[in-house]
Amino acid sequence: MNIMLFHSTYGLRPAVHRAAAGLRAAGHEVWTPDLFDGRTFDTVEEGMAFNEELGKEELLKRAVLAAASYSERGLVYAGFSLGAATAQTLALGDAKARGLLLLHGTSDIAATASVDNLPVQLHVAEPDAFETDDWLSAWYLQMRKAGADVEVYRYPGAGHLYTDFDLPDFDEEAAEATWRVALGFLDTL
């Protein structure tokens, strides 16, 4: 599978490279574009401030440019938190998308979004201050209305970015379960 993996608001950190290496070891081709031009951050607040300064439009432009030369191959879009939101936006706009793997995040869905049974898998902490229960319920219904085939996995007690081994949110058990299920999902595409 060809996978475009987007980083979180922390930037392109070791956890993203480690995830990409694991996906490659499972036989997938993976690209990890650096949407922040080499900048990484130690706190979510610093990353969010930079992201606001960069602007949503510029971030999406960079993501589209990163994916453009590969989209003809039929990409699985994937990402962590902010990167998941970016991946979702691109997947919903790419008729050749093969799947969508969301780790720790979602995004708004345009009322006109329409896909043909796009396989979507979401992994998120429970509870998660960035992905509240009400938000996730509405998101799920909107994704189904848009035509996506959605699976949601919740991880009680895990922190928001629980797959990033360098962050306080890291939860080894939840991270291992996430990758086990995600690899199974990718094998079905």
Side-chain angles (χ1 to χ4, degrees):
M1 199 55 47
N2 297 303
I3 302 170
M4 185 64 56
L5 181 61
F6 294 106
H7 61 75
S8 74
T9 196
Y10 286 92
L12 188 56
R13 296 164 37 91
V16 179
H17 293 296
R18 183 176 178 181
L23 292 167
R24 288 183 189 110
H28 303 289
E29 192 160 356
V30 184
W31 295 275
T32 55
D34 185 350
L35 304 181
F36 287 178
D37 294 329
R39 305 257 330 249
T40 59
F41 303 96
D42 293 326
T43 68
V44 69
E45 293 80 15
E46 290 172 349
M48 289 172 85
F50 178 77
N51 185 46
E52 279 188 34
E53 181 182 309
L54 187 63
K56 185 176 183 177
E57 195 171 298
E58 178 62 23
L59 182 74
L60 283 175
K61 176 181 152 191
R62 291 177 181 196
V64 167
L65 288 172
S69 58
Y70 304 104
S71 65
E72 284 297 314
R73 300 178 186 201
L75 290 171
V76 172
Y77 291 92
F80 298 92
S81 193
L82 171 68
T86 303
Q88 177 186 305
T89 300
L90 268 62
L92 292 179
D94 182 350
K96 293 184 186 255
R98 299 279 309 273
L100 176 59
L101 176 60
L102 303 172
L103 304 164
H104 323 293
T106 61
S107 183
D108 294 329
I109 301 165
T112 58
S114 178
V115 293
D116 187 17
N117 289 318
L118 178 71
V120 177
Q121 193 174 84
L122 169 65
H123 296 267
V124 65
E126 181 177 28
D128 188 320
F130 296 101
E131 300 290 326
T132 65
D133 290 344
D134 288 347
W135 168 262
L136 288 174
S137 293
W139 173 87
Y140 177 84
L141 293 172
Q142 289 174 322
M143 285 295 279
R144 295 289 299 154
K145 183 179 177 189
D149 181 13
V150 184
E151 298 177 348
V152 178
Y153 293 87
R154 303 293 304 268
Y155 299 87
H160 175 66
L161 264 170
Y162 63 83
T163 60
D164 190 327
F165 58 89
D166 282 334
L167 296 176
D169 284 350
F170 180 64
D171 183 311
E172 186 174 7
E173 186 177 324
E176 287 177 4
T178 294
W179 287 116
R180 186 172 49 255
V181 172
L183 287 171
F185 169 70
L186 293 170
D187 285 345
T188 67
L189 304 179

